[in-house]
Amino acid sequence: MRFLKPHFFSFLLFGLLISVSATAQSQLQSPEDFLGYELGSQWTPHHKVMDYFWHVAEQSEMVKAKKYGETNEGRELMLAYVSSTQNVERLDEIRKNNLKRTGLLEGKPKAGNTAIVWLSYNVHGNETSSSEAALKTIYELVRLDNPDTKEWLQNTVVVMDPMLNPDGRDRYVHWYKETVGDSFNAYGEAREHHEPWPGGRTNHYYFDLNRDWAWLTQKESRARVEEFQKWMPHIHVDFHEQGYTSPYYFAPAAEPFHKAITEWQRDFQYTIGENHAKYFNENSWLYFTREVFDLFYPSYGDTYPIFNGSIGMTYEQAGGGYAGLGIKKPVGDTLTLKDRLTHHHTTGLSTVEISSKNADKLVDNFADYFEEAQNNPEGKYKTFVIEKENNPDKLQALFSLLDKHKVEYGQAGQNENVSAYNYKTGQTRRVRVEKGDYLVSTYQPKGVLARILFEPRPELADSVTYDITAWSQYYAYGLDGYAVPEQLDVEAAPAPQKEINNTADEKAYAYLAEWKDLSDVGLLADLLKHDIKVRFSEKAFKIEGQDYAPGTLVITRSDNKNRGKDFERLVTELATKHNQQVDAVSTGFVQSGADFGSSSVRYLEKPRIALLSGEGTSSNRVGEVWHYFDKQINYPVTLVDTDYFSSVNLDNYEVLIMASGYYGSEIDSSQFDELRNWISEGGKLIALQGANSYLAGKDGFNIENKSDDGNGGDSPDSGTVLDEYGDQQRERISGFNSGSIFKISLDNSHPLAFGYDDHYFSLKLNADAYSYLEDGWNVGVAKGDARMSGFVGYKAKEKLRNTLTFGVQEMGSGSVVYMVDNPLFRAFWYNGKLLFGNAVFMVGQ
């Protein structure tokens, strides 16, 4: 590959750099010398990648590095800052100047425009070539005999994250090294091209980190975004891999673009793409642009930076886990790891080059972006109102997320009547904003991101997209509020704080805890782990002048006599730990409802829980359940792989969870009979999302696929048979729902819906439709046209009318919980986590 030809100034600068820096860099080694092998000939494990980056930082005055976090498995996360020696000496000044341009830091920036380019490698663990490319790229940036890169770095700081997902990458690399022979086998039939479950794409808990930038459910994401907020780069590149037969993909991206993306952000993607094309043309490498990879869903490594003012981009190299060290392509040539890293290295350097050439434009347009956000924000709605009477735990959880993204919020200083969109009803009406209601204005530095997070119906310019199309945080957190088209005055105010006053009372007959939120599930889990015996009320009741809803936890002294004086201390300490209030009452005789000795105040058995994992299950969906128990409520769960499920004694468990998957070839008929018998004898099966498709129509299970109402086919005179070939994708999406929000009607008298009102906003992820249960409880249903937000094809919308979303079937002494929609999807749908807690702890007791 070739880069800019050095001119006279470059040679002068080159000589000066050698005279000043040669001694400092005399010990700098190339990646090949440091590692002892040629890049691309084998995989470089995480620790060696880190070692080389630290080596470069120690030997070169052009680099500083820092550890910014650790993964779940204890692997290091690090950043390297690369620039001219003069810039490296004033990195903090450059960083603060940039933050002042955004308005996130007060003050006026000093003169001088320094472009900030952030390069992120290997967010998907088995897309491994980019971390290899990172080794080559940092060396090329700092080696003294490359005058071009030295010129670029005079006005550019490059931030490099060489490996975003070390746990997933090492999972893949270690497997491959154990599997490959003395040399790689390029034929796709070879076992080295067939990764076993769960694959290396995801992190330790099987989460896709490239879909977690906005939601920050994973520790790697939280650590990374905290550093991102300190810099707010002008360019962000996320290096990926795709199918091994594809050409290289780079910017400009495909439609749909979210309408919040500016013309400048669109245009500069073309400028970058043209620069890449120059080098790819010279080397006769195939590439494509403006297809497949759109800019809509806000939690990607390209879109999240875009909604924070950057030029965010995804670069996709052919390969992935299937390619290994080399794979024969259909055209007959062999794609090698060296090819793949070379392509990523080329676009990485090309990005630095074009950013340096356009540093003034980048910085000036970046500053304009934030000035516009603060003074003249676009979008239909200017203020988002969150009612102060919402559950304080949900408010705290939401505002914690906003704090991590530096999104400002406050409160209304006065009562005010305005026209607004009501999230609960989906209608625009006159509403009353009360003094003390929480407000998020788009007139702020992070105004665009605030708009993206809260807008009722994301502005989809084109319906052909491949991820969810709705994500409003009102629905995700189960909050009541409004979107107001006008700017409202916002008074500075902190997030609400709950007043907790838990006092041990030796005379207490019982302690009562509400059941409304994930925090309450966490408290229950902790009580059970400490062998505190707990009951819950199936009915509303009133005692000592206080009203309590169904689901309220009732912790009686009588049930816990063996704890002695330790009882009240432990209950109150655990409640305080979880920031929950427990009320001590002196009697079990209620003013209304059922007394605490009633059969409707149920004893809650401490469940032993198993989760099916392994081949046939979706690793992402298994990870969501695992993470829920392990990190969110801290309650034990046993993962059981399908390949030895037949030898598992289900009598050791009260609950079995089937995450979404394809179980047909993994569970044979005898295993299925054993599963059904276990349920009938008192077990509880929870089926999530695609697992319901596996159960539908099987003997003993009442869930049934909804029959075609006659709207799914095309008659010869309907016109669709004459559609053009080029429109086939749009015709297919008429029956498609990639992720939209539906208003689900709930029977909140059933334990599955305890803690909710008579509705729940559900993220519906597909067009799978099931009829109401004829013999069972239809706890949550989509009545009529229940869609609230997001794209749903017209055929899919019709199909989903009057369908089951959440149901419970009694089977002998046991039960089956059908959760057609997955309330744990990507761990960001906060309001669904209580629903899943109900399925685990409340149903069937």
Side-chain angles (χ1 to χ4, degrees):
M1 58 180 247
R2 295 191 296 113
F3 290 98
L4 293 178
K5 294 181 179 179
H7 46 64
F8 180 69
F9 173 78
S10 297
F11 279 115
L12 288 177
L13 177 62
F14 179 46
L16 179 62
L17 284 170
I18 288 179
S19 65
V20 173
S21 303
T23 302
Q25 294 205 136
S26 61
Q27 303 301 313
L28 178 65
Q29 294 180 281
S30 69
E32 287 80 5
D33 290 339
F34 184 88
L35 297 169
Y37 54 83
E38 182 184 5
L39 286 179
S41 64
Q42 64 183 70
W43 305 114
T44 308
H46 166 263
H47 70 278
K48 288 188 176 181
V49 174
M50 298 297 107
D51 287 348
Y52 183 71
F53 266 74
W54 284 113
H55 163 73
V56 175
E58 289 166 1
Q59 299 301 326
S60 174
E61 295 177 349
M62 300 173 64
V63 181
K64 281 189 177 180
K66 67 175 287 187
K67 175 181 176 179
Y68 72 86
E70 287 185 351
T71 69
N72 287 289
E73 297 176 17
R75 292 184 176 87
E76 180 182 56
L77 298 167
M78 66 99 73
L79 291 173
Y81 308 96
V82 188
S83 194
S84 67
T85 54
Q86 297 91 339
N87 287 339
V88 168
E89 289 172 359
R90 62 183 192 95
L91 274 180
D92 202 50
E93 176 188 325
I94 293 171
R95 181 183 70 83
K96 289 180 178 178
N97 272 343
N98 195 54
L99 289 183
K100 289 174 182 177
R101 293 186 182 96
T102 69
L104 294 169
L105 189 66
E106 292 185 358
K108 187 176 182 179
K110 295 181 180 179
N113 289 340
T114 304
I116 301 171
V117 177
W118 190 301
L119 305 178
S120 290
Y121 299 91
N122 227 146
V123 68
H124 290 148
N126 58 4
E127 298 175 6
T128 45
S129 66
S130 66
S131 285
E132 307 292 339
L135 297 167
K136 185 176 178 67
T137 300
I138 192 170
Y139 179 68
E140 194 69 32
L141 286 172
V142 302
R143 69 177 175 88
L144 292 180
D145 54 346
N146 187 335
D148 289 332
T149 59
K150 303 306 163 296
E151 181 180 350
W152 304 339
L153 294 175
Q154 293 302 306
N155 66 350
T156 305
V157 171
V158 181
V159 185
M160 299 182 70
D161 188 332
M163 197 180 300
L164 279 67
N165 183 9
D167 291 351
R169 189 179 194 274
D170 267 10
R171 188 188 312 137
Y172 173 82
V173 168
H174 291 326
W175 166 78
Y176 190 89
K177 287 187 172 184
E178 293 170 354
T179 305
V180 72
D182 189 49
S183 59
F184 68 81
N185 187 321
Y187 291 97
E189 296 84 358
R191 64 175 184 163
E192 66 206 62
H193 301 294
H194 298 271
E195 258 186 292
W197 192 97
R201 177 182 176 89
T202 53
N203 77 340
H204 174 80
Y205 283 101
Y206 310 152
F207 273 71
D208 185 338
L209 296 178
N210 189 44
R211 283 151 173 85
D212 194 47
W213 281 79
W215 317 134
L216 304 181
T217 70
Q218 302 301 293
K219 67 181 301 185
E220 299 96 333
S221 305
R222 292 190 292 272
R224 181 177 66 252
V225 168
E226 182 178 351
E227 295 302 315
F228 189 94
Q229 301 297 337
K230 295 175 183 177
W231 280 90
M232 298 293 287
H234 310 130
I235 299 284
H236 181 266
V237 178
D238 202 19
F239 290 90
H240 286 263
E241 293 189 45
Q242 56 186 325
Y244 78 100
T245 62
S246 300
Y248 196 98
Y249 167 84
F250 50 72
E255 291 285 358
F257 282 53
H258 193 287
K259 290 185 178 179
I261 297 173
T262 68
E263 286 300 314
W264 159 252
Q265 290 173 316
R266 286 171 170 261
D267 290 346
F268 200 72
Q269 286 207 353
Y270 276 81
T271 301
I272 291 172
E274 288 171 343
N275 205 61
H276 296 344
K278 174 177 62 178
Y279 296 114
F280 275 61
N281 292 341
E282 289 177 359
N283 288 281
S284 300
W285 297 333
L286 289 176
Y287 58 91
F288 69 100
T289 66
R290 292 164 286 189
E291 295 179 45
V292 184
F293 303 102
D294 60 68
L295 297 175
F296 191 67
Y297 174 68
S299 206
Y300 290 139
D302 51 12
T303 50
Y304 177 80
I306 279 180
F307 299 137
N308 282 271
S310 299
I311 311 298
M313 294 170 293
T314 291
Y315 296 167
E316 295 270 357
Q317 163 63 43
Y322 188 79
L325 288 175
I327 185 73
K328 189 169 289 292
K329 298 169 68 176
V331 294
D333 60 334
T334 298
L335 175 68
T336 66
L337 177 60
K338 185 176 180 180
D339 296 330
R340 290 150 60 192
L341 75 88
T342 300
H343 299 160
H344 269 331
H345 168 68
T346 301
T347 55
L349 286 188
S350 173
T351 302
V352 177
E353 175 195 18
I354 198 65
S355 299
S356 173
K357 286 183 173 182
N358 291 273
D360 288 339
K361 289 182 180 179
L362 275 172
V363 175
D364 290 346
N365 279 278
F366 181 80
D368 290 345
Y369 179 97
F370 286 94
E371 183 177 355
E372 190 77 4
Q374 293 173 81
N375 299 308
N376 188 31
E378 294 187 357
K380 181 177 180 179
Y381 299 104
K382 308 301 183 186
T383 309
F384 300 101
V385 181
I386 304 164
E387 292 182 358
K388 61 186 176 183
E389 300 302 327
N390 280 293
N391 183 310
D393 291 316
K394 294 178 180 179
L395 291 175
Q396 286 183 333
L398 171 65
F399 292 141
S400 175
L401 179 68
L402 297 184
D403 287 341
K404 292 179 177 66
H405 291 304
K406 308 299 181 187
V407 174
E408 300 169 359
Y409 51 85
Q411 287 181 295
Q414 61 185 13
N415 298 333
E416 192 169 355
N417 294 318
V418 296
S419 177
Y421 177 91
N422 186 325
Y423 284 86
K424 182 186 292 186
T425 65
Q427 297 177 334
T428 299
R429 295 285 188 273
R430 295 291 292 178
V431 301
R432 184 173 178 81
V433 178
E434 300 283 347
K435 180 179 180 180
D437 283 345
Y438 289 91
L439 306 180
V440 179
S441 173
T442 60
Y443 287 83
Q444 61 163 303
K446 289 298 191 78
V448 174
L449 184 60
R451 166 190 170 186
I452 298 299
L453 293 176
F454 290 107
E455 59 188 347
R457 293 188 171 96
E459 298 179 64
L460 186 63
D462 190 300
S463 56
V464 180
T465 181
Y466 65 95
D467 213 301
I468 65 173
T469 58
W471 48 79
S472 171
Q473 299 302 281
Y474 283 93
Y475 298 129
Y477 283 86
L479 300 170
D480 291 334
Y482 315 102
V484 182
E486 60 194 85
Q487 181 182 13
L488 302 182
D489 292 333
V490 181
E491 294 187 355
Q497 299 296 316
K498 286 177 66 175
E499 293 185 10
I500 301 298
N501 182 24
N502 290 315
T503 305
D505 185 351
E506 295 181 359
K507 297 181 180 180
Y509 181 88
Y511 289 92
L512 307 178
E514 66 179 7
W515 187 256
K516 295 182 177 180
D517 181 77
L518 176 66
S519 301
D520 305 316
V521 183
L523 171 58
L524 173 60
D526 221 353
L527 290 167
L528 295 177
K529 283 171 56 183
H530 284 84
D531 294 320
I532 296 293
K533 294 179 172 59
V534 181
R535 296 176 184 266
F536 69 95
S537 177
E538 287 191 312
K539 299 178 180 179
F541 64 92
K542 185 174 185 178
I543 188 170
E544 297 183 353
Q546 181 71 37
D547 292 315
Y548 293 90
T552 297
L553 303 182
V554 180
I555 313 160
T556 68
R557 185 179 298 278
S558 175
D559 286 331
N560 294 278
K561 288 183 293 187
N562 64 319
R563 304 307 296 248
K565 293 184 178 180
D566 186 50
F567 167 65
E568 57 270 354
R569 178 195 63 79
L570 188 55
V571 171
T572 53
E573 284 184 0
L574 291 177
T576 300
K577 169 187 171 183
H578 290 273
N579 200 33
Q580 300 304 299
Q581 179 67 46
V582 288
D583 300 331
V585 293
S586 60
T587 178
F589 186 69
V590 301
Q591 294 167 264
S592 64
D595 296 329
F596 294 169
S598 167
S599 61
S600 66
V601 181
R602 300 252 181 186
Y603 177 64
L604 201 156
E605 295 281 356
K606 179 181 178 180
R608 295 168 296 177
I609 303 166
L611 166 65
L612 271 178
S613 57
E615 295 296 339
T617 68
S618 163
S619 60
N620 294 100
R621 307 292 81 88
V622 168
E624 291 156 2
V625 181
W626 182 22
H627 188 267
Y628 178 85
F629 285 104
D630 217 37
K631 305 297 285 186
Q632 298 175 48
I633 67 170
N634 193 22
Y635 190 83
V637 63
T638 301
L639 275 70
V640 176
D641 274 7
T642 53
D643 61 359
Y644 62 86
F645 180 55
S646 61
S647 65
V648 173
N649 183 359
L650 285 177
D651 291 338
N652 291 330
Y653 304 95
E654 285 74 42
V655 179
L656 175 65
I657 301 168
M658 294 178 69
S660 194
Y662 305 93
Y663 293 90
S665 60
E666 305 300 330
I667 300 178
D668 62 30
S669 58
S670 62
Q671 290 173 307
F672 189 80
D673 289 342
E674 289 180 15
L675 173 62
R676 187 170 46 212
N677 291 337
W678 170 79
I679 299 170
S680 297
E681 292 171 2
K684 178 166 57 180
L685 176 67
I686 302 174
L688 290 164
Q689 202 175 334
N692 293 282
S693 178
Y694 168 71
L695 297 176
K698 285 188 168 53
D699 186 32
F701 293 86
N702 293 337
I703 190 168
E704 297 283 351
N705 290 302
K706 185 183 178 185
S707 61
D708 193 340
D709 292 325
N711 297 307
D714 296 316
S715 61
D717 59 350
S718 66
T720 58
V721 293
L722 300 178
D723 283 348
E724 294 184 6
Y725 176 82
D727 290 335
Q728 61 181 320
Q729 184 178 22
R730 296 189 180 281
E731 177 58 27
R732 281 199 303 271
I733 67 170
S734 64
F736 191 60
N737 171 35
S738 61
S740 54
I741 299 169
F742 277 57
K743 187 175 184 177
I744 304 303
S745 300
L746 287 183
D747 171 11
N748 59 7
S749 70
H750 193 282
L752 184 56
F754 281 171
Y756 291 90
D757 292 328
D758 61 0
H759 65 275
Y760 165 78
F761 292 101
S762 186
L763 184 60
K764 192 169 287 293
L765 298 165
N766 52 46
D768 292 350
Y770 299 92
S771 302
Y772 295 159
L773 298 176
E774 292 187 3
D775 185 10
W777 303 102
N778 295 290
V779 182
V781 297
K783 294 181 178 178
D785 182 6
R787 183 188 69 92
M788 295 293 292
S789 180
F791 171 79
V792 183
Y794 72 91
K795 292 180 182 178
K797 187 186 297 184
E798 184 62 30
K799 185 180 179 183
L800 289 167
R801 294 171 66 91
N802 304 316
T803 52
L804 177 73
T805 305
F806 305 112
V808 177
Q809 173 194 342
E810 295 173 1
M811 184 184 292
S813 300
S815 57
V816 183
V817 182
Y818 302 111
M819 307 193 86
V820 174
D821 291 353
N822 177 9
L824 303 183
F825 180 71
R826 294 181 186 166
F828 86 99
W829 206 257
Y830 186 87
N831 198 39
K833 296 175 181 182
L834 176 66
L835 193 71
F836 187 74
N838 285 338
V840 172
F841 294 107
M842 295 291 184
V843 172
Q845 290 287 348

